Amino acid sequence: NKHRQLMKPGFSCGPPSAWQDVTLLLLAVALLPFAQCFAPTTTAPWAILSPTAATARLAGARATAPGGDDIISRAQLFLDEATGFYSELKPEFLADDFVFRGGVVGPLNKADYVDTMEKLGVYRAFNLEPNAFGFTVDPSDPLTVRFFVRNRGCHVGKWQPWGALPPLPLEPDPERSAVVGPTEAAMVTFEPETLQVRFFTTGNVVKFGDGPSGVNTGGLGAVLGLFHAIGIGDVGNLALDANVRGLSNWAANNVGALKIPRTKSENAPAWWTEG
């Protein structure tokens, strides 16, 4: 694969051209750590609750915290069926004032998260399992569920996460298709009236005490880790540069034809504060 050859150490095809520089900047936008986590569940299909029903459910969650089995089931259902990372995205699971914040990317509001996840297309190009564990209701907030994930899976389809240009989709390579991710901390918070998801964070890699060996994502989680797993980690690392993220986000907001995923929303919901 020509694209992979360009990334091999020691490979050289002469001085970098302006086109190569532009290509690298466009590739940088593929770095959205939307690592999500899925846990099997037998919960009934999702339904947006009326205020009365939601209040009753919230009262039940408060009564059972920190156990909170009902809230945990809703978190598992969201992860299993709606995030757009392990499975198809379902916007109806998200509150109108939803915010996503990853280890690098974000905050993203609902519209930008939906747009970004569809452009990234991780669930179409990878067959991933989150191996989620440790689900617990936050004792200080009965609407928040915290847990961990360890992504495992394979690259199974064409992947072009940087947008329309360059038109070089990454094909699965049998020798570099496996994904073995590190332990990541994640969290889901629900909106009290409808019990839709108001806040979601993942891609927060646990730096110390990570048990499993064989991690091949360069110590990174979510989307950034996928680049390392399939052998083009240098491209993924571009997203660690705030200047590159800023440039790619400007292009996403101002040059729609490029179809670049956003890395940060210009307008986050009023309730959101960084840190």
Side-chain angles (χ1 to χ4, degrees), residues 180-196:
V180 182
T183 302
E184 304 173 32
M187 183 179 88
V188 174
T189 298
F190 295 98
E191 199 278 332
E193 294 300 317
T194 63
L195 293 186
Q196 291 172 290

mmCIF file of all heavy atoms in Angstrom, residues 180-196:
data_model
loop_
_atom_site.group_PDB
_atom_site.id
_atom_site.type_symbol
_atom_site.label_atom_id
_atom_site.label_comp_id
_atom_site.label_asym_id
_atom_site.label_seq_id
_atom_site.Cartn_x
_atom_site.Cartn_y
_atom_site.Cartn_z
ATOM 1 N N VAL A 180 -4.973 -3.390 20.154
ATOM 2 C CA VAL A 180 -4.867 -3.748 21.572
ATOM 3 C C VAL A 180 -4.640 -2.445 22.331
ATOM 4 O O VAL A 180 -3.525 -1.922 22.377
ATOM 5 C CB VAL A 180 -3.719 -4.738 21.839
ATOM 6 C CG1 VAL A 180 -3.672 -5.113 23.320
ATOM 7 C CG2 VAL A 180 -3.869 -5.983 20.972
ATOM 8 N N GLY A 181 -5.701 -1.904 22.884
ATOM 9 C CA GLY A 181 -5.625 -0.593 23.511
ATOM 10 C C GLY A 181 -5.330 -0.647 24.998
ATOM 11 O O GLY A 181 -5.478 -1.686 25.645
ATOM 12 N N PRO A 182 -4.927 0.493 25.570
ATOM 13 C CA PRO A 182 -4.657 0.582 27.003
ATOM 14 C C PRO A 182 -5.956 0.732 27.794
ATOM 15 O O PRO A 182 -7.042 0.827 27.222
ATOM 16 C CB PRO A 182 -3.814 1.856 27.101
ATOM 17 C CG PRO A 182 -4.388 2.723 26.013
ATOM 18 C CD PRO A 182 -4.722 1.782 24.884
ATOM 19 N N THR A 183 -5.836 0.765 29.092
ATOM 20 C CA THR A 183 -7.001 1.026 29.936
ATOM 21 C C THR A 183 -7.337 2.511 29.885
ATOM 22 O O THR A 183 -6.462 3.361 30.066
ATOM 23 C CB THR A 183 -6.723 0.615 31.392
ATOM 24 O OG1 THR A 183 -6.368 -0.772 31.421
ATOM 25 C CG2 THR A 183 -7.945 0.838 32.267
ATOM 26 N N GLU A 184 -8.610 2.817 29.614
ATOM 27 C CA GLU A 184 -9.078 4.202 29.561
ATOM 28 C C GLU A 184 -10.193 4.405 30.578
ATOM 29 O O GLU A 184 -11.044 3.530 30.759
ATOM 30 C CB GLU A 184 -9.624 4.541 28.173
ATOM 31 C CG GLU A 184 -8.659 4.316 27.029
ATOM 32 C CD GLU A 184 -9.327 4.510 25.679
ATOM 33 O OE1 GLU A 184 -10.246 5.350 25.584
ATOM 34 O OE2 GLU A 184 -8.955 3.817 24.719
ATOM 35 N N ALA A 185 -10.185 5.555 31.224
ATOM 36 C CA ALA A 185 -11.282 5.924 32.118
ATOM 37 C C ALA A 185 -12.355 6.633 31.307
ATOM 38 O O ALA A 185 -12.059 7.419 30.407
ATOM 39 C CB ALA A 185 -10.773 6.834 33.229
ATOM 40 N N ALA A 186 -13.619 6.336 31.615
ATOM 41 C CA ALA A 186 -14.735 6.931 30.885
ATOM 42 C C ALA A 186 -15.861 7.282 31.854
ATOM 43 O O ALA A 186 -15.887 6.814 32.999
ATOM 44 C CB ALA A 186 -15.237 5.972 29.809
ATOM 45 N N MET A 187 -16.806 8.097 31.367
ATOM 46 C CA MET A 187 -17.892 8.556 32.225
ATOM 47 C C MET A 187 -19.078 8.976 31.372
ATOM 48 O O MET A 187 -18.913 9.545 30.293
ATOM 49 C CB MET A 187 -17.422 9.741 33.072
ATOM 50 C CG MET A 187 -18.440 10.273 34.062
ATOM 51 S SD MET A 187 -17.754 11.656 35.031
ATOM 52 C CE MET A 187 -18.150 13.027 33.966
ATOM 53 N N VAL A 188 -20.279 8.687 31.847
ATOM 54 C CA VAL A 188 -21.519 9.132 31.222
ATOM 55 C C VAL A 188 -22.368 9.805 32.289
ATOM 56 O O VAL A 188 -22.539 9.261 33.384
ATOM 57 C CB VAL A 188 -22.308 7.954 30.611
ATOM 58 C CG1 VAL A 188 -23.666 8.421 30.100
ATOM 59 C CG2 VAL A 188 -21.522 7.306 29.483
ATOM 60 N N THR A 189 -22.897 10.994 31.972
ATOM 61 C CA THR A 189 -23.823 11.690 32.867
ATOM 62 C C THR A 189 -25.144 11.894 32.144
ATOM 63 O O THR A 189 -25.162 12.282 30.971
ATOM 64 C CB THR A 189 -23.262 13.054 33.312
ATOM 65 O OG1 THR A 189 -22.054 12.845 34.043
ATOM 66 C CG2 THR A 189 -24.255 13.799 34.200
ATOM 67 N N PHE A 190 -26.252 11.643 32.835
ATOM 68 C CA PHE A 190 -27.576 11.749 32.242
ATOM 69 C C PHE A 190 -28.265 13.056 32.616
ATOM 70 O O PHE A 190 -28.049 13.602 33.704
ATOM 71 C CB PHE A 190 -28.451 10.571 32.689
ATOM 72 C CG PHE A 190 -27.965 9.247 32.181
ATOM 73 C CD1 PHE A 190 -27.186 8.425 32.992
ATOM 74 C CD2 PHE A 190 -28.260 8.823 30.903
ATOM 75 C CE1 PHE A 190 -26.722 7.202 32.528
ATOM 76 C CE2 PHE A 190 -27.802 7.609 30.422
ATOM 77 C CZ PHE A 190 -27.031 6.796 31.241
ATOM 78 N N GLU A 191 -29.111 13.526 31.707
ATOM 79 C CA GLU A 191 -29.947 14.701 31.946
ATOM 80 C C GLU A 191 -31.107 14.277 32.848
ATOM 81 O O GLU A 191 -31.725 13.241 32.613
ATOM 82 C CB GLU A 191 -30.460 15.218 30.594
ATOM 83 C CG GLU A 191 -30.954 16.641 30.604
ATOM 84 C CD GLU A 191 -32.382 16.759 31.103
ATOM 85 O OE1 GLU A 191 -33.143 15.776 30.944
ATOM 86 O OE2 GLU A 191 -32.724 17.813 31.662
ATOM 87 N N PRO A 192 -31.418 15.031 33.907
ATOM 88 C CA PRO A 192 -32.379 14.548 34.903
ATOM 89 C C PRO A 192 -33.819 14.434 34.424
ATOM 90 O O PRO A 192 -34.567 13.604 34.935
ATOM 91 C CB PRO A 192 -32.258 15.570 36.039
ATOM 92 C CG PRO A 192 -31.703 16.791 35.402
ATOM 93 C CD PRO A 192 -30.794 16.299 34.321
ATOM 94 N N GLU A 193 -34.230 15.228 33.449
ATOM 95 C CA GLU A 193 -35.632 15.200 33.039
ATOM 96 C C GLU A 193 -35.947 14.052 32.092
ATOM 97 O O GLU A 193 -36.977 13.399 32.209
ATOM 98 C CB GLU A 193 -36.016 16.536 32.385
ATOM 99 C CG GLU A 193 -35.980 17.721 33.341
ATOM 100 C CD GLU A 193 -36.939 17.530 34.509
ATOM 101 O OE1 GLU A 193 -38.077 17.073 34.282
ATOM 102 O OE2 GLU A 193 -36.546 17.823 35.645
ATOM 103 N N THR A 194 -35.083 13.804 31.129
ATOM 104 C CA THR A 194 -35.348 12.776 30.114
ATOM 105 C C THR A 194 -34.458 11.551 30.251
ATOM 106 O O THR A 194 -34.701 10.539 29.600
ATOM 107 C CB THR A 194 -35.126 13.354 28.706
ATOM 108 O OG1 THR A 194 -33.746 13.739 28.578
ATOM 109 C CG2 THR A 194 -36.026 14.559 28.464
ATOM 110 N N LEU A 195 -33.412 11.646 31.067
ATOM 111 C CA LEU A 195 -32.395 10.608 31.192
ATOM 112 C C LEU A 195 -31.700 10.317 29.862
ATOM 113 O O LEU A 195 -31.222 9.216 29.621
ATOM 114 C CB LEU A 195 -32.977 9.330 31.797
ATOM 115 C CG LEU A 195 -33.415 9.441 33.260
ATOM 116 C CD1 LEU A 195 -33.830 8.080 33.799
ATOM 117 C CD2 LEU A 195 -32.318 10.034 34.138
ATOM 118 N N GLN A 196 -31.633 11.338 28.997
ATOM 119 C CA GLN A 196 -30.748 11.262 27.840
ATOM 120 C C GLN A 196 -29.327 11.594 28.299
ATOM 121 O O GLN A 196 -29.115 12.147 29.380
ATOM 122 C CB GLN A 196 -31.193 12.247 26.761
ATOM 123 C CG GLN A 196 -32.509 11.883 26.090
ATOM 124 C CD GLN A 196 -32.985 12.995 25.177
ATOM 125 O OE1 GLN A 196 -33.384 14.059 25.650
ATOM 126 N NE2 GLN A 196 -32.948 12.754 23.878
#
